[in-house]
Amino acid sequence: EFGLVPEDVDYVILTHLHYDHASNNELFSNAEFLLQRAEFETARDPLPIFESTYPEFTTNSIEDEQLTLLECDYRLRGGIELLQSPGHSAGMQSVIVETSEGPHALVADLAYCEHNLRPDIESMIDAHGERIEVTPMGGEYLPPGTHLNVTDCYDSIERIRRRIGENGEIIPSHDPQT
């Protein structure tokens, strides 16, 4: 739509290295890949229960000279900031994008869908566009079903909420409406 091809991409931000978030890296031959070191190390030696989420192609598809391993929050450029947000995985990072409507947090799998961010809702739209009932829960956050550390999930989502403030928006990664 915008006349771009993968070779035009300068940066690829990998929120984490699970197969559904880190495929097709080889298409971006001119890009610098930004990843948290903790995620890279975890992907190379995952806990047995997570082995299937880290197939070898995700780490092997990134060449060393293209990879920048971060060990902290990182400001890529004005308006784009990477925040460490472990919980779903050891080295997950979220992307804060400053927009004219306020900051938007792309939180990857820290929140799969609206129900993670609004546990009190009674229904949501599924992948087929149908409204389905969900079990209302208490609290302001419901961690994703797959997570490495539930306490880190809560800490990370609170940190992101503080960073974006009341005018910010959190964008879940697998919500059909997203």
Side-chain angles (χ1 to χ4, degrees), residues 32 34 36 68 70 72-76 80-83:
E32 176 182 354
L34 302 169
Q36 292 293 325
T68 299
L70 306 171
C72 58
D73 295 342
Y74 183 77
R75 182 170 296 281
L76 177 58
I80 302 175
E81 182 181 356
L82 311 181
L83 266 77

Side-chain angles (χ1 to χ4, degrees), residues 33-62:
F33 290 81
L34 302 169
L35 177 70
Q36 292 293 325
R37 181 177 301 279
E39 186 67 9
F40 188 70
E41 291 172 357
T42 298
R44 293 210 169 211
D45 187 25
L47 292 170
I49 193 169
F50 293 113
E51 284 178 354
S52 65
T53 63
Y54 289 112
E56 284 186 40
F57 72 81
T58 60
T59 54
N60 293 341
S61 66
I62 307 166

Side-chain angles (χ1 to χ4, degrees), residues 33-135:
F33 290 81
L34 302 169
L35 177 70
Q36 292 293 325
R37 181 177 301 279
E39 186 67 9
F40 188 70
E41 291 172 357
T42 298
R44 293 210 169 211
D45 187 25
L47 292 170
I49 193 169
F50 293 113
E51 284 178 354
S52 65
T53 63
Y54 289 112
E56 284 186 40
F57 72 81
T58 60
T59 54
N60 293 341
S61 66
I62 307 166
E63 297 177 25
D64 290 341
E65 66 270 8
Q66 294 177 286
L67 182 60
T68 299
L69 293 175
L70 306 171
E71 297 184 46
C72 58
D73 295 342
Y74 183 77
R75 182 170 296 281
L76 177 58
R77 57 178 54 179
I80 302 175
E81 182 181 356
L82 311 181
L83 266 77
Q84 291 178 311
S85 51
H88 172 68
S89 68
M92 206 180 86
Q93 60 186 353
S94 296
V95 183
I96 308 297
V97 179
E98 295 293 338
T99 75
S100 60
E101 297 172 5
H104 285 59
L106 308 171
V107 297
D109 287 347
L110 193 58
Y112 293 148
C113 62
E114 180 184 17
H115 194 221
N116 295 114
L117 299 171
R118 296 183 44 222
D120 61 334
I121 63 174
E122 296 179 3
S123 67
M124 59 181 271
I125 305 298
D126 71 7
H128 303 288
E130 302 293 325
R131 182 157 297 281
I132 59 169
E133 292 182 19
V134 294
T135 303

